[in-house]
């Protein structure tokens, strides 16, 4: 069935649709019988018309002034949040502060709000590039604005970043691919001339000079979130957005020497933007790649140019999901199988396809792996399995349905079983465990910022707790165990405002404000707000989740229901 909302989700043959089946059904996440508690009316109990009305354009028409807000009033960009004051669902005093802080981080370009800076931390001696709008950091802000019925800033962001994409980008004398999206950009105000210009960083200024692979994926995912939330298909259908998507896709779908369907990438090309041994086929990029492909599939027009990509995407998704679900997945049984692997097997009959040496399994893993539960490991390449847990990749794998329903359940089980290690006193650990001593020297290049249990090396990032909380909330509501989500959000609420919204926490349990953490880090603030709004109204989850597409598992090229109906 199709969404038919005010903005006109119905489409003609060459148009795209975001269908009902894309909404996230969490019944599959946690299906164990639990004690019954009083249930919220969950989003999957709602009719789709309810869901579509919680967005902006769906009711209020296209104009900014006529925008409908979830709180029921007309809203302006600067002002009191609709969400904090008007929702009856346990308003917490820090929600108001969070909205204020989020609005303080807004960046304007020629009078229009265009994004949010990474951190509004005047106390910090070194600004570095934290005064820039990071593409990945803006996503939680964008979701907060969309959920609050303020889509205009998201639209501005999507359109302006497209202009940056088409610029020539060079690192020294080497030209980057046309489709690359910047890691971040800055608005430069020339007070004398009274003009604003945009300056983007594609990696040519970034520490380590790595181009971000995730930015283009986040851009596509955000375009779908915007479309889904507003019901406004016209933006995604513009020639500019269609071309922007095709450019991103042509970069990551180009053919080369690969034998794997996963995307080969450099260390530091994603949220973990420093050397952390995540080069190769890091889970974060693979999960985002998968999700972006699925989002693009829904939004690409089926015209001559679009069709070429539609076919390539379908073929890649089929192979990618098989590869990830088979080779990146680790649970008790799989670990035991690897432990007993024979090596040096040749030919198609090999069980140990990548020639992984069982001795390379780290000791911590044997105790960490619960009998029930599992996760996608960090990396798989010849003779190298990076067994670390990475939060973002696993969360995105659930949201995008890269994980099968059983795998999603197992990831949530693992989090519950290993609460102390993965959540501790501040959700959520970016990766587990930390690397130390000699390994830290080799892997990070002696990085003083990434010492054990700090920053990217086992630090706890409040922004990641948002994703966890959405999943937990929806799963909890569905299965009657809201106490898990509440426990996690309680932890965050106890500290975040008091500590000044730090970027990350340090320590095994995440008890200490990070050594070099910025304060008033925008995505810590926005992540909290998004988690709160999701708790209040789980129907928002549809913006950022995709239902499993069974046709994907069948041999290509059968069109799936989600993009032909
Ligand atoms: C750090 C993070 C990166 C983030 C940036 C701005 O470099 O590793 O993911 O985008 O800060 O907040």
């Amino acid at each position: 069935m199709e969404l038919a909302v005010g903005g006109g989700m119905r489409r003609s043959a060459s148009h795209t649709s975001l269908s009902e089946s894309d909404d996230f059904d969490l019944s599959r996440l946690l299906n164990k019988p639990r004690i019954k508690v009083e249930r919220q009316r969950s989003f999957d109990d709602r009719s789709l018309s309810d869901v579509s009305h919680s967005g902006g354009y769906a009711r209020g028409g296209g104009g900014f002034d006529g925008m409908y807000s979830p709180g029921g009033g007309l809203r302006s960009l600067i002002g009191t949040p609709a969400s904090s004051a008007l929702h009856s669902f346990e308003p917490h005093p820090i929600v108001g502060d969070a909205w204020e802080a989020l609005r303080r981080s807004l960046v304007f370009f020629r009078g229009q709000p265009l994004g949010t800076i990474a951190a509004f931390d005047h106390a910090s001696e070194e600004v570095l590039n934290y005064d820039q709008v990071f593409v990945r950091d803006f996503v939680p802000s964008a979701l907060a604005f969309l959920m609050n019925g303020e889509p205009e800033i998201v639209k501005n962001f999507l359109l302006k970043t497209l202009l940056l994409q088409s610029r020539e980008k060079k690192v020294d004398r080497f030209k980057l691919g046309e489709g690359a999206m910047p890691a971040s950009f800055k608005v430069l105000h020339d007070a004398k001339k009274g003009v604003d210009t945009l300056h983007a960083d594609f990696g040519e200024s970034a520490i380590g000079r790595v181009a971000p692979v995730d930015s283009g994926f986040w851009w596509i995912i955000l375009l779908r979130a915007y479309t889904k939330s507003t019901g406004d298909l016209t933006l995604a259908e513009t020639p500019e957005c269609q071309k922007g998507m095709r450019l991103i896709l042509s970069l990551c779908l180009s053919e080369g020497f690969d034998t794997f369907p996963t995307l080969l990438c450099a260390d530091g090309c994603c949220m973990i933007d420093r050397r952390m041994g995540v080069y190769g086929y890091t889970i974060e990029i693979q999960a985002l790649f998968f999700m972006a492909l699925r989002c693009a599939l829904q939004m690409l027009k089926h015209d001559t140019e679009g069709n070429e990509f539609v076919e390539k995407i379908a073929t890649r998704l089929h192979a990618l999901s098989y590869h990830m679900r088979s080779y990146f997945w680790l649970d008790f049984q799989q670990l035991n199988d690897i432990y007993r692997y024979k090596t040096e097997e040749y030919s198609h009959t090999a069980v140990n396809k990548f020639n992984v040496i069982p001795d390379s399994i780290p000791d911590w893993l044997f105790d960490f792996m619960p009998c029930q539960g599992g996760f996608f490991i960090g990396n798989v390449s010849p003779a190298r399995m990076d067994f670390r847990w990475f939060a973002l990749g696993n969360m995105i794998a659930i949201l995008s349905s890269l994980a099968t329903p059983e795998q999603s359940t197992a990831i949530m089980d693992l989090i519950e079983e290993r609460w102390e290690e993965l959540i501790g006193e501040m959700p959520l650990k970016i990766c587990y465990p930390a690397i130390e001593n000699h390994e830290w020297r080799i892997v990070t290049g002696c990085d003083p910022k990434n010492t054990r249990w700090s920053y990217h090396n086992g630090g706890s990032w409040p922004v990641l707790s948002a994703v966890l909380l959405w999943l937990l909330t929806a799963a909890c509501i569905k299965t009657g165990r809201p106490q898990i989500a509440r426990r996690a959000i309680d932890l965050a609420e106890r500290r975040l405002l008091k500590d000044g919204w730090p970027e990350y926490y340090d320590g095994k349990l995440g008890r200490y404000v990070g050594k070099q953490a910025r304060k008033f880090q925008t995505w810590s603030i926005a992540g909290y707000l998004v988690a709160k709004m999701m708790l209040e109204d789980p129907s928002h989850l549809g913006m950022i989740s995709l239902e499993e597409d069974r046709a994907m598992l069948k041999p290509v090229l059968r069109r799936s229901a989600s993009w032909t109906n």
Side-chain angles (χ1 to χ4, degrees):
M1 197 186 103
E2 259 180 19
L3 262 183
V5 282
M9 290 292 266
R10 258 175 218 295
R11 62 188 171 85
S12 62
S14 70
H15 286 56
T16 50
S17 88
L18 301 180
S19 75
E20 179 186 13
S21 65
D22 307 324
D23 282 331
F24 198 54
D25 176 13
L26 279 139
S27 51
R28 59 199 179 77
L29 258 188
L30 296 165
N31 48 17
K32 292 176 270 175
R34 299 275 162 167
I35 319 147
K36 276 225 161 169
V37 292
E38 192 158 311
R39 278 179 38 155
Q40 269 256 119
R41 187 176 171 225
S42 80
F43 72 95
D44 38 7
D45 293 338
R46 291 159 183 254
S47 74
L48 268 171
S49 52
D50 277 354
V51 173
S52 64
H53 281 174
S54 67
Y57 286 110
R59 209 187 265 187
F64 185 62
D65 290 341
M67 211 176 286
Y68 175 72
S69 82
L74 292 178
R75 311 223 356 84
S76 85
L77 208 66
I78 314 289
T80 339
S83 169
S84 68
L86 297 160
H87 278 296
S88 53
F89 190 89
E90 293 180 21
H92 192 280
I94 77 170
V95 169
D97 286 274
W99 272 108
E100 227 169 83
L102 180 61
R103 293 188 194 285
R104 252 201 322 267
S105 72
L106 279 170
V107 169
F108 290 80
F109 179 72
R110 300 181 186 160
Q112 298 277 326
L114 180 60
T116 48
I117 54 169
F120 195 87
D121 185 2
H122 287 321
S124 169
E125 5 28 285
E126 266 187 317
V127 175
L128 296 175
N129 50 0
Y130 282 87
D131 60 347
Q132 304 207 6
V133 180
F134 278 74
V135 171
R136 71 176 75 86
D137 293 44
F138 180 65
V139 174
S141 300
L143 295 177
F145 288 121
L146 286 174
M147 286 174 193
N148 205 38
E150 301 175 61
E152 209 61 17
I153 180 173
V154 182
K155 187 176 181 177
N156 289 341
F157 171 89
L158 288 165
L159 288 171
K160 286 288 178 301
T161 39
L162 272 184
L163 296 178
L164 298 173
Q165 181 195 31
S166 56
R167 287 197 189 158
E168 181 167 302
K169 342 169 218 300
K170 270 188 176 174
V171 178
D172 292 332
R173 294 178 184 193
F174 185 69
K175 195 167 160 286
L176 261 67
E178 212 190 340
M181 279 284 186
S184 61
F185 61 84
K186 196 177 170 131
V187 179
L188 301 170
H189 301 278
D190 186 330
K192 269 196 203 145
K193 290 188 189 150
V195 286
D196 287 349
T197 45
L198 289 179
H199 176 81
D201 179 12
F202 293 88
E204 70 272 34
S205 307
I207 297 166
R209 299 290 186 267
V210 184
V213 176
D214 63 340
S215 288
F217 298 152
W218 281 122
W219 186 89
I220 292 177
I221 293 166
L222 189 56
L223 180 62
R224 176 183 172 274
Y226 169 90
T227 310
K228 187 90 183 166
S229 147
T230 60
D232 170 24
L233 267 181
T234 58
L235 180 66
E237 288 183 346
T238 55
E240 293 79 12
C241 284
Q242 292 286 316
K243 185 175 175 208
M245 275 191 276
R246 289 197 307 266
L247 285 176
I248 296 168
L249 294 168
S250 56
L251 270 185
C252 56
L253 293 174
S254 62
E255 288 168 3
F257 289 96
D258 304 297
T259 47
F260 306 142
T262 33
L263 195 65
L264 185 63
C265 47
D267 219 342
C269 70
C270 52
M271 176 184 178
I272 297 182
D273 56 3
R274 299 163 83 94
R275 215 174 119 181
M276 265 295 289
V278 293
Y279 62 91
Y281 303 94
T282 182
I283 179 67
E284 178 177 334
I285 289 296
Q286 311 316 320
L288 286 171
F289 180 34
F290 180 86
M291 185 157 187
L293 289 182
R294 290 201 63 196
C295 290
L297 204 47
Q298 293 182 350
M299 296 185 294
L300 278 173
K301 281 189 177 176
H302 293 194
D303 50 19
T304 321
E305 285 165 307
N307 274 340
E308 189 194 320
F309 285 94
V310 165
E311 286 179 16
K312 275 191 182 172
I313 293 174
T315 313
R316 191 66 170 257
L317 280 174
H318 176 65
L320 184 60
S321 56
Y322 177 80
H323 185 92
M324 297 299 298
R325 290 170 178 184
S326 316
Y327 307 128
F328 275 64
W329 182 252
L330 194 75
D331 54 18
F332 187 81
Q333 185 58 50
Q334 180 72 5
L335 177 58
N336 209 154
D337 292 347
I338 299 173
Y339 176 66
R340 291 165 51 80
Y341 265 170
K342 294 185 180 49
T343 56
E344 315 298 329
E345 293 174 297
Y346 181 77
S347 100
H348 287 286
T349 53
V351 177
N352 180 4
K353 295 194 171 96
F354 307 108
N355 200 33
V356 174
I357 320 290
D359 263 358
S360 69
I361 304 173
D363 287 344
W364 63 266
L365 189 59
F366 294 104
D367 293 332
F368 178 77
M369 184 59 80
C371 295
Q372 193 171 334
F375 63 106
F376 289 101
I377 63 170
N379 222 310
V380 176
S381 55
R384 176 175 177 247
M385 287 178 105
D386 178 349
F387 292 96
R388 281 174 293 174
W389 149 270
F390 289 89
L392 188 58
N394 276 278
M395 297 292 102
I396 297 287
I398 296 181
L399 288 172
S400 63
S401 292
L402 169 60
T404 63
E406 295 72 30
Q407 288 172 335
S408 296
T409 306
I411 294 170
M412 302 298 271
D413 285 341
L414 178 95
I415 293 172
E416 216 185 344
E417 290 283 322
R418 295 291 171 255
W419 187 271
E420 179 117 326
E421 290 88 342
L422 304 178
I423 311 263
E425 293 188 20
M426 176 54 67
L428 176 69
K429 282 237 164 315
I430 193 166
C431 67
Y432 182 89
I435 42 180
E436 313 184 35
N437 307 320
H438 184 59
E439 203 185 357
W440 165 79
R441 268 180 225 110
I442 305 284
V443 173
T444 72
C446 300
D447 188 345
K449 220 174 159 181
N450 273 337
T451 49
R452 63 185 179 155
W453 306 114
S454 181
Y455 199 45
H456 299 143
N457 188 9
S460 303
W461 291 66
V463 62
L464 293 174
S465 70
V467 198
L468 174 74
L469 281 166
W470 313 340
L471 291 170
L472 279 176
T473 307
C476 295
I477 288 166
K478 187 72 197 180
T479 56
R481 43 177 183 176
Q483 64 281 7
I484 306 176
R486 211 150 284 157
R487 205 172 139 199
I489 206 156
D490 279 353
L491 288 170
E493 264 166 355
R494 228 175 285 156
R495 300 280 312 261
L496 285 179
L497 178 67
K498 185 163 87 52
D499 295 339
W501 305 99
E503 182 184 12
Y504 62 95
Y505 286 79
D506 283 358
K508 261 193 179 168
L509 291 172
R511 292 176 74 186
Y512 299 92
V513 173
K515 203 170 21 180
Q516 292 189 42
R518 291 292 181 286
K519 295 287 182 76
F520 296 95
Q521 181 78 19
T522 305
W523 67 3
S524 299
I525 300 163
Y528 167 73
L529 286 173
V530 169
K532 272 303 248 202
M533 284 189 275
M534 199 72 82
L535 275 161
E536 291 166 6
D537 181 1
S539 69
H540 289 312
L541 198 59
M543 261 190 237
I544 195 79
S545 71
L546 295 148
E547 190 41 86
E548 191 180 29
D549 181 356
R550 292 189 185 278
M552 203 167 61
L553 303 174
K554 304 212 175 85
V556 230
L557 273 167
R558 281 201 39 219
R559 288 184 166 189
S560 74
S562 61
W563 50 283
T564 53
N565 283 347

